[in-house]
Amino acid sequence: DTAVSQTPKYLVTQMGNDKSIKCEQNLGHDTMYWYKQDSKKFLKIMFSYNNKELIINETVPNRFSPKSPDKAHLNLHINSLELGDSAVYFCASGQGDYGYTFGSGTRLTVV
Amino acid sequence: GENVEQHPSTLSVQEGDSAVIKCTYSDSASNYFPWYKQELGKRPQLIIDIRSNVGEKKDQRIAVTLNKTAKHFSLHITETQPEDSAVYFCAPYGQNFVFGPGTRLSVLP
């Protein structure tokens, strides 16, 4: 029973397209996150949702929008994809000052 | 703003040797200090953590030490094995979910 699951695992799409990545956690955690990992392996926080409220939004283009229908889900929608959006996107969940549990990642390739 | 650094950025050791990775942070209010391991093509996974009321914690071959006054904590791996090869990240809590830049550890057979 996967704790944090995200789909799809791979996503190849053309520039200008709109795509979504889904994430679900069954750990009962209050907070969910989206991280972007570039080719240099830096993990950059994009969004954090706590009980369906956005509590942090880093300097991410507004083409990226998180959507949380409930506490167990945090989806990532991306409009007008650009080449620079190619990366691995990780969803994670956490509870207070305890460690995160990450999903398996979505490798996005924009061509 | 938040500032989380790791040293070294890359580390190569011979199998059986020890490895130490240091994480420095800027927010003195941080109270939880985890280390994550990311193997090639896999997700980051929590391997050990420490809270600000203790100075050292050990779990088999890995340990974490904390110096809150100096605002740094370190990951220690003893008797390294090839499967320890990975990228290691620190992520001190209270730094707005910022992760350190990572340290690539290579254990040479």
Side-chain angles (χ1 to χ4, degrees), chain B residues 23-37:
Chain B
C23 178
T24 60
Y25 59 95
S26 57
D27 188 352
S28 57
S30 294
N31 59 3
Y32 172 67
F33 307 91
W35 283 98
Y36 294 82
K37 175 185 180 181

Side-chain angles (χ1 to χ4, degrees), chain A residues 7-96:
Chain A
T7 56
K9 192 170 176 63
Y10 300 98
L11 186 54
V12 180
T13 187
Q14 291 187 325
M15 278 194 302
N17 283 352
D18 303 338
K19 292 293 178 185
S20 291
I21 307 172
K22 295 186 176 181
C23 180
E24 176 181 4
Q25 56 101 359
N26 62 6
L27 298 168
H29 288 165
D30 283 337
T31 309
M32 296 183 70
Y33 311 85
W34 277 106
Y35 281 85
K36 177 181 180 181
Q37 187 169 48
D38 60 23
S39 57
K40 294 183 178 179
K41 302 299 182 185
F42 295 132
L43 277 166
K44 180 183 173 184
I45 180 70
M46 299 180 72
F47 301 104
S48 172
Y49 255 75
N50 186 323
N51 286 330
K52 297 173 67 174
E53 291 187 23
L54 181 67
I55 60 174
I56 186 170
N57 184 346
E58 290 294 308
T59 54
V60 173
N62 58 14
R63 298 182 294 105
F64 292 80
S65 54
K67 298 190 191 307
S68 181
D70 55 55
K71 194 173 92 165
H73 296 83
L74 182 64
N75 303 324
L76 182 64
H77 189 75
I78 316 168
N79 289 327
S80 303
L81 277 155
E82 301 177 356
L83 291 175
D85 298 332
S86 296
V88 179
Y89 292 83
F90 284 101
C91 174
S93 72
Q95 185 76 15

